[in-house]
Amino acid sequence: MPPRLRLSVSLLSHPLRHEVFIYPRRYATTAAAAVTTSTISQTSQSKPTSSQPPSSPAAAYSSPQPPSHRRPEFRKSQLHRQYTSVLRTTPLILIFQHNNLRSVEWAGIRRELTKALQKVDEANAAAGRTEPPLASLIQLKIIQTGIFEAALRVVDFFRPGETTPRGAGKIAAAKADPNLAHDLSRTAYAAVLDKKGKHDLSSILIGPIAVLTFPHVSPEHLKAALSILAPKPPQFPAPGRRANPGLYELPVQEGLKKLILLAARVEGKVFDQDQTRWVGGIEGGMTGLRSQLVSLLQGAGASITTTLDAAGKSLYLTLESRRSVLEEEQKGPESDVKSDSEGKTDAPKE
């Protein structure tokens, strides 16, 4: 490769040297003039609009994203939004502790879990139920415990316009805009700051945690999930080797040994393991639960009717017996007088 030729500006002729130095100046002057013109035009356009008050709190800010305590472009903020959405839209969440599961083990567990849930959907469809399939909507995912705990506090404790900050939250609330009450706002942060570590699930949200989310409370799907992830015979036995040979593969079994069921969140309430298994043990699912409720209400109505009827009968019998006693007491002296008079009339005849 031939060497590069380095030319000095001093070697150029005078006209070329003049063009080299003049053209950049001309372009820079033109660009500066354009920037100045655009700035003046923007200022002139913004002056009449700045005097008008904004129609909404978000309109007072130039960015479409309203200000928040946590910057929205960070991954932590996105996870916080995702967790609050999951907590508000999923009525049933199982919480597991996992200990260093490999990707192969996670893949095998998710595969077998999906198979078990699909069998429940097929059984419901064969029985003629109109319930939508849930196998594709039930997800097993790993969470970041600190952000999940903060999202729990916002969902359960923060009520815009009703929650009053206390303790350290008062200092943070002094800088907050009360008109901004979204999940990432400083108002929400200040309202739940004193609740840190006081949630019922705070004690177990330590270390590696995974959650299994259900879009609906379905005892059949819950039972199928527990039979795979946390089997406990005789009520929640694991599928047999012939029926489900993939469950007994070595990576799947090694992964299941590292999963521990801690608790569940059902309709906003914390359930322990026994209560969670009770929900999964409801016969017939939600339809069976409704039938049990109807039979219970019918039985309660019948028992109430019998009780009220028995009370009325006992009261009637008591009053009747008392009336008969009073009648006998009233008839007693008259019968004695009649018997004496009859005895006197019979004596002269003799």
Side-chain angles (χ1 to χ4, degrees), residues 294-313:
V294 170
S295 62
L296 179 62
L297 293 176
Q298 291 178 351
S303 62
I304 290 174
T305 304
T306 305
T307 303
L308 295 176
D309 192 14
K313 287 182 178 179

Side-chain angles (χ1 to χ4, degrees), residues 24 43 67 69 72 89 94 107 111 113 165 190 195 211 217 221-222 237 242 260 275 284 320 323 335 339 344:
T43 306
H69 175 68
T89 56
L94 299 184
R111 182 190 68 237
L113 178 63
K195 301 291 185 180
V211 295
V217 179
H221 291 85
L222 177 58
R242 291 185 178 180
I260 302 174
Q275 293 173 337
E320 285 294 325
R323 186 174 64 84
S335 60
S339 60
K344 290 179 180 180

Side-chain angles (χ1 to χ4, degrees), residues 64-100:
Q65 171 67 38
S68 60
H69 175 68
R70 296 176 176 85
R71 298 187 63 178
E73 62 270 16
F74 289 169
R75 175 171 171 77
K76 291 184 178 181
S77 302
Q78 298 174 9
L79 287 176
H80 189 278
R81 284 181 171 178
Q82 179 183 354
Y83 292 160
T84 52
S85 176
V86 167
L87 290 170
R88 288 192 176 102
T89 56
T90 53
L92 177 57
I93 300 176
L94 299 184
I95 302 175
F96 293 88
Q97 179 184 355
H98 66 91
N99 299 316
N100 299 325

Side-chain angles (χ1 to χ4, degrees), residues 230-253:
K232 186 178 180 181
Q235 190 176 6
F236 298 92
R241 187 181 295 270
R242 291 185 178 180
N244 196 351
L247 180 63
Y248 294 90
E249 294 179 358
L250 183 59
V252 178
Q253 290 297 316

Side-chain angles (χ1 to χ4, degrees), residues 250-271:
L250 183 59
V252 178
Q253 290 297 316
E254 291 295 330
L256 291 176
K257 292 178 182 178
K258 302 174 185 178
L259 277 180
I260 302 174
L261 177 63
L262 299 179
R265 187 175 186 268
V266 184
E267 297 290 348
K269 297 181 180 180
V270 180
F271 281 27

Side-chain angles (χ1 to χ4, degrees), residues 141-179:
K141 60 181 69 176
I142 301 173
I143 62 171
Q144 294 191 11
T145 54
I147 304 175
F148 191 80
E149 194 268 343
L152 267 174
R153 287 188 281 118
V154 171
V155 172
D156 290 345
F157 298 137
F158 177 57
R159 299 294 181 270
E162 300 178 3
T163 308
T164 304
R166 298 179 180 178
K170 292 183 179 180
I171 302 175
K175 301 179 181 179
D177 187 356
N179 296 322

Side-chain angles (χ1 to χ4, degrees), residues 29-43:
T29 306
T30 306
V35 171
T36 306
T37 306
S38 62
T39 305
I40 294 173
S41 61
Q42 290 179 1
T43 306

Side-chain angles (χ1 to χ4, degrees), residues 302-342:
S303 62
I304 290 174
T305 304
T306 305
T307 303
L308 295 176
D309 192 14
K313 287 182 178 179
S314 62
L315 180 60
Y316 173 76
L317 294 175
T318 303
L319 293 176
E320 285 294 325
S321 62
R322 182 60 179 169
R323 186 174 64 84
S324 60
V325 170
L326 292 175
E327 289 179 353
E328 290 178 358
E329 290 179 355
Q330 291 178 358
K331 293 179 180 179
E334 296 178 357
S335 60
D336 294 340
V337 171
K338 289 181 180 180
S339 60
D340 294 341
S341 61
E342 290 177 356

